Amino acid sequence: MNPAFSDDSDATDRQGPQRAVVVGRLRPHMLPLLARDVGSALVWASVDGWTVLRLDEAGADLRGHAVLRDEVPVVTLHRDGHGRWIDVVTHVGVPPGTVLSPTGEPPLEPDEVPGESAARVAASRHFAHLDVVAVAAAVESPDDEGWSARVLAALGLPVLAADVHEGRTELPGAVAVEPMGVGGAIRAAVRQYEDAPPDEVARRGALGRWQGAVAARPSLGLLTALPEAALGLLGLWWVAGIDDRAWWQWLVGALAALAVLDALADTVALGRRPSQRRAASHPREQASRPPGS
C-alpha cells in the first residue's frame, strides 16, 4: 500500500485516535527534526504552496515541537471516537493553539463556544482577510466526514488535507521522513536545506538565495571563506601583539579564532560537496567499485 494512503473510514476507525494531518508553512528541511520531536514517521507533500503532512503514529501530534515564526499558521486535523477538531497555531511556540470544534463536542472547554474560537482565529494577521461569519458557520456545521473540509475551505487552506485525513485520497508525490537521533536529524535537515527546490530557496530571502547559489556552485563559497579567514588571522595577529590584554581583547581573539576555524570548515565542506554530488548521481557506479578503490 502507498505509505501516503490509509483507509480511515468512519465505519471502522472511529474508536480511537486517528493519524493527524498537518497543514502549514513548514520548511521541508526541518521535517526530520519535527519527526524526531513528535516521535513519529511522517509523509509530506507540497500542495498549493503549503506543506501538508500526515503523521504515521495514531495519536501523535505536534505538542513538544516548537513552531517557528516563518512556519505559522500551522493547522492540525484530529479525529477520534468523540469527533473531530482542528488545532490552529498562529504564534511562535509549542502547540496547542486555538481549537476549532463542532458544538457540544470535545475538546472545547465547558464555557467556550465555536463562534468565539473562530473569532480568535480570524483576529490573527494570518486570517484577518477571512469572513469570520463564514468560518464560524463552518465550525458549527455537523460533525460528519465533510466537517474538516468545510473548515479548511473557510480558512483558505488546501481541502486536500481533509481528504487525506478522512482516507478519501492520498498525498500526491509524498515523501517519507523517519524519526532519528539528534545528529542524524540535523544532518538530514542540512542535506534537505542544501538540496531545496528553487521555490523554497526563493522564500529564504537574500541570505538564503546566496546559500542556495553556493550549494549549486561551491566555488562561490570561497568569496566568503577567504575574507573570513583573512579577517580572523588579522585579528589573531593583532591580539598576539598585545602584552597586557583586557577582557574584550581576549574576546576578540576568541572570535577571530572561531572565524578562522569556520572558514577552514567551509573550505573543507566545499571541497567535499562536488564528490558527494557525483556519488549521489551515480549510485550504481559507486556500489560496483571494489572495497578500497
Side-chain angles (χ1 to χ4, degrees):
M1 179 179 292
N2 190 305
F5 177 74
S6 63
D7 185 14
D8 294 336
S9 63
D10 280 345
T12 59
D13 292 326
R14 285 295 296 267
Q15 301 306 312
Q18 303 302 306
R19 292 179 288 187
V21 172
V22 182
V23 184
R25 298 295 188 185
L26 300 166
R27 304 284 187 168
H29 68 274
M30 296 297 291
L31 295 182
L33 293 174
L34 185 151
R36 177 190 175 275
D37 288 345
V38 303
S40 171
L42 59 90
V43 291
W44 72 274
S46 180
V47 180
D48 298 333
W50 294 86
T51 298
V52 178
L53 65 88
R54 193 208 65 212
L55 301 176
D56 282 357
E57 294 293 332
D61 57 32
L62 298 192
R63 285 179 293 183
H65 177 75
V67 176
L68 304 179
R69 180 178 59 85
D70 58 352
E71 294 178 328
V72 293
V74 175
V75 176
T76 305
L77 283 63
H78 297 277
R79 181 159 68 96
D80 63 11
H82 297 290
R84 298 167 173 82
W85 69 97
I86 296 177
D87 181 23
V88 183
V89 177
T90 58
H91 57 276
V92 175
V94 178
T98 300
V99 173
L100 302 177
S101 179
T103 304
E105 295 285 354
L108 286 177
E109 298 297 330
D111 59 346
E112 187 176 17
V113 297
E116 294 176 354
S117 299
R120 285 200 301 274
V121 170
S124 164
R125 64 183 179 86
H126 305 286
F127 298 110
H129 61 287
L130 300 178
D131 181 355
V132 64
V133 175
V135 175
V139 173
E140 295 172 3
S141 64
D143 181 16
D144 55 27
E145 63 181 11
W147 180 82
S148 297
R150 291 190 292 271
V151 175
L152 289 184
L155 294 176
L157 299 174
V159 176
L160 176 69
D163 294 333
V164 173
H165 193 229
E166 297 289 341
R168 291 189 292 264
T169 189
E170 57 186 287
L171 281 171
V175 178
V177 177
E178 296 290 335
M180 56 188 70
V182 176
I186 292 176
R187 287 192 295 271
V190 170
R191 286 195 299 269
Q192 292 195 31
Y193 184 88
E194 293 179 344
D195 297 334
D199 58 338
E200 169 66 16
V201 174
R203 291 173 52 194
R204 298 175 182 168
L207 178 60
R209 288 191 291 272
W210 167 254
Q211 292 170 334
V214 171
R217 297 179 57 189
S219 59
L220 291 177
L222 296 176
L223 296 178
T224 57
L226 292 179
E228 183 180 22
L231 289 174
L233 291 173
L234 181 62
L236 289 175
W237 174 80
W238 176 74
V239 172
I242 302 174
D243 294 330
D244 188 13
R245 302 181 185 92
W247 68 268
W248 63 269
Q249 291 167 330
W250 283 106
L251 179 61
V252 169
L255 293 176
L258 288 176
V260 174
L261 291 175
D262 182 63
L264 290 175
D266 288 345
T267 303
V268 171
L270 291 172
R272 290 178 176 176
R273 192 168 294 165
S275 60
Q276 292 172 342
R277 290 184 180 276
R278 286 194 297 271
S281 60
H282 302 287
R284 293 185 179 178
E285 177 183 341
Q286 294 294 321
S288 63
R289 291 182 181 176
S293 62

